[in-house]
Structure formats: C-alpha cells, structure tokens
C-alpha cells in the first residue's frame, strides 16, 4: 500500500425527539473510543448528529427549535469550543482521530445545515461545509404526527461556501507524506452530480458524507402513495447506493457515507447504508445493523490514480466548452415544439 489510511463511518442508530443531548454525546464518545481501539484515523459521523433529525417535525415552539442548533458566533468561537458539544471534540483530539460531523449551525445571523472536518492532531477545524441542496418544502405536508415532513427549506439557509476541497494535513504522515485531498457533502447533496464534479476537479481523494434518509415518506417522494414500507425502504437504499457508487467511480475517489439510522420516535424510519466505496465504485465495507456501529476499512489512496489518470482523466477528456448549460441554467428548458 502506497498511501494507506484506516477510515470508518460512525453510523448512529435511533435518536428520538425526547433523547437527551447527554445520551447522544455519550454514544458518540463511545464510537470515538471504539474507533481509537481499532486504530481508525478518520471517522465520519452523520448529518445533524447531536440531535434527532428535527426538520421532519413542524415545530412552532421557538425555544424547542432553537435547542436543535449549535450557537457558533464571534463570542463562542468555533463549534469545537461550544459548551454543548466541546466534550466530543476534546475526546476526538485526545484520541488523535480526524472527524467529520454534521450539526445545525446558528451564527446569530442565519441557520445552516453544516458539517465540520476537525483535525485529530490539533483540534482545529480544517474545513466547514454548509449543505447546498436543501430538499423538501417550506410548509408541512400535514400535521399528523406520523407524517415525516422535510422542512429543511424552512429551518436552514442554503449553504454558501460552495464545494471547497482541502488537504487533511493531519493525515500527511500516515498517508506516505502527502496529505489526502478531502471533500464534504451532506445528505441530499450526494444525489446531485454537480457537487461531486466540483470536487473531482480539485482532485479529491476522499469524499465524506453524512445523511438522514427517510425510509418511508410517500408525500416527499411523490409517485405511488400506497407504496409498502418494505418497497419504500428498498427503493431508498437502492438510490442511495446507486448515486454514491456511480459518483465515486466517475470522479475516481473514495467515499465514506455515515447514516443516522433506526426508527426515530418508533415511527420515522431512516435507512442505514453506511459504507466505504472505492474509486472503482465497489463497496469495500458496509453496515450490518441499523444501530450505532463502526464500518471500517483500510484504504489506499493510490487506488484513485488509475481513474484519475486514465478513464476519468478530467484534464485530458473533458470538453467544458460543451457544458455551458450546466452553469447557465437552473431548471429544465425543453427544446421548442416544431
Ligand atoms: N436529509 C436529507 O437531505 N434527506 C433527503 C431526503 C430527500 C430523504 C435525502 O436526499 O436523503
């Protein structure tokens, strides 16, 4: 192995609306400790990891809504220093593990669906990503407590940092003297080719993606409103794997996906599907449960070379002058009827 790295997805099982932050933190720290025992160097956690996936609820109580965010202002400093969650980041630093973790960010001026990548060496935030593609609606489908809503457009602003890759300098020595090039996505972003290609164009070798993907929400997906729960789950898993494997392959990069899984409140099921995918699109490790679980693999970043230098040598084969529409158009513009 030329540039070996032991990585893992930290899948997190059910977190109910009533689950306390203290309980969640305890579970996350246990995952960190188990990863450390197995010598994992990079651990990827899900989207909005510290709380339940609150955008599924229509929340009218401002205080409750506020409780789901981390306050990250000029006074508090970075999320790693904020009182609710600093114990998690301290432990990661003590154990020397790089982490990516998602959370609701409140800057005082705006709220975002955010993920930070933090160095296990220094405890510094090496990169912050804000989710670009916010799915769902601004109004609830209905107020039935059994309905899984998707109110991210109501609770978050769209991410404004773009798709900026960075070097995980913390992992330089482990990776044969050359820092891995890392990109970040959050959940729905993984379904859009645009972000992946932006990262491919920066030579990304490891794409980290945490998510909360509902296993049953016919109102959200459209189509057959009488779809069975089993079929809906199967479809959600199929599409999750389809996009991750295909985009990892066409951009010649590893991808680590970390699920918030389980059945929240015993009525809002989420798919698992935590996995590590290689640059040829193969799954090299995946979850076995729907609970808290580490999915671990030792990868070799040199395996990205073949795709980057040959089949998907972007500099050699791309024709950007043919792709103008991609940057110019937002929605679909069909050709005129003749
Ligand atoms: N949290 C998400 O972004 N979830 C979405 C929805 C549409 C299920 C997803 O793409 O997985």
């Amino acid at each position: 192995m030329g540039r070996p790295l032991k990585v893992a997805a930290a899948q997190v099982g059910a977190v109910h609306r009533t689950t306390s932050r203290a309980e969640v933190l305890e579970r996350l720290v246990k995952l960190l400790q188990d990863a450390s025992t197995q010598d994992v160097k990079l651990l990827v956690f899900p989207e909005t990891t510290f709380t339940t996936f609150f955008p599924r609820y229509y929340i009218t109580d401002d205080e409750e809504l506020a409780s789901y965010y981390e306050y990250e202002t000029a006074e508090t400093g970075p999320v790693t220093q904020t009182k609710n969650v600093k114990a998690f980041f301290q432990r990661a630093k003590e154990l020397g593990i790089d982490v990516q973790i998602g959370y609701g960010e409140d800057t005082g001026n705006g709220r975002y669906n955010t993920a930070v990548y933090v160095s296990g060496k220094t405890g510094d935030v090496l990169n912050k990503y804000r989710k670009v593609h916010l799915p769902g609606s601004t109004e609830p489908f209905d107020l039935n407590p059994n309905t899984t809503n998707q109110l991210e457009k109501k609770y978050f602003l769209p991410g404004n940092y773009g798709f900026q890759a960075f070097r995980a300098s913390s992992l330089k020595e482990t990776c044969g003297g050359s820092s891995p090039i890392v990109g970040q996505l959050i959940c729905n972003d993984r379904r859009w080719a645009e972000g992946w290609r932006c990262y491919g164009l920066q030579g990304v070798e490891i794409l980290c993606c945490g998510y909360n993907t509902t296993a049953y929400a016919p109102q959200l997906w459209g189509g057959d409103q009488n779809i069975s729960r089993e079929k809906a789950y199967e479809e959600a898993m199929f599409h999750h794997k389809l996009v991750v494997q295909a985009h990892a392959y066409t951009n010649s990069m590893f991808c680590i996906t970390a699920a918030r899984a389980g059945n929240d409140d015993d009525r809002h099921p989420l798919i698992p599907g935590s996995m590590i995918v290689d640059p040829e699109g193969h799954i090299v490790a995946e979850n076995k449960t729907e609970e808290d679980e580490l999915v671990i693999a030792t990868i070799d970043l040199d395996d990205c070379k073949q795709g980057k230098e040959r089949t998907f040598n972007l500099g050699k084969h791309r024709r950007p002058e043919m792709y103008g529409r991609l940057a110019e158009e937002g929605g679909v513009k069909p050709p005129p009827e003749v």
Side-chain angles (χ1 to χ4, degrees), residues 47 53 55 113 131 133-136 150 152 186-192 210-215 217 220-221 270-271:
E47 175 188 32
F53 185 62
N113 189 339
K131 186 175 183 176
H133 302 98
L134 300 177
Q150 186 76 29
E152 289 190 56
I186 300 177
C187 196
N188 193 256
D189 289 322
R190 74 197 187 288
R191 302 185 195 274
W192 299 89
Y211 59 98
N212 285 268
T213 293
T214 175
L220 173 65
W221 297 120
L270 294 157
I271 59 162

Side-chain angles (χ1 to χ4, degrees), residues 1-6 41-42 96 98 117 119-122 126 166-182 205-206 300-302:
M1 278 202 173
R3 295 173 64 213
L5 182 63
K6 198 161 189 184
K41 302 289 184 226
L42 164 58
D98 279 26
Y117 184 107
S119 161
K121 233 180 185 172
T122 62
L126 297 186
F166 61 98
R167 293 266 184 183
S169 48
S170 39
L171 301 174
K172 184 171 176 177
E173 283 119 55
T174 321
C175 292
S178 165
S179 309
I181 306 176
V182 179
E205 296 165 308
I206 310 173
D300 184 351
L301 298 186
D302 276 352

Side-chain angles (χ1 to χ4, degrees), residues 285-333:
E286 65 183 314
N287 70 289
K288 296 188 179 64
T289 73
E290 303 210 353
E291 291 158 18
D292 294 3
E293 178 185 346
L294 293 176
V295 176
I296 304 178
T298 300
I299 59 177
D300 184 351
L301 298 186
D302 276 352
D303 290 349
C304 299
K305 272 191 192 165
Q306 189 186 346
K308 286 190 192 301
E309 291 173 6
R310 301 183 73 88
T311 314
F312 296 107
N313 183 326
L314 302 184
K316 198 166 169 189
H317 304 301
R318 278 183 90 245
R319 301 278 313 282
E321 69 279 15
M322 297 289 125
Y323 310 149
R325 271 196 187 87
L326 289 180
E328 284 155 18
E329 305 291 353
V332 176
K333 255 197 198 166

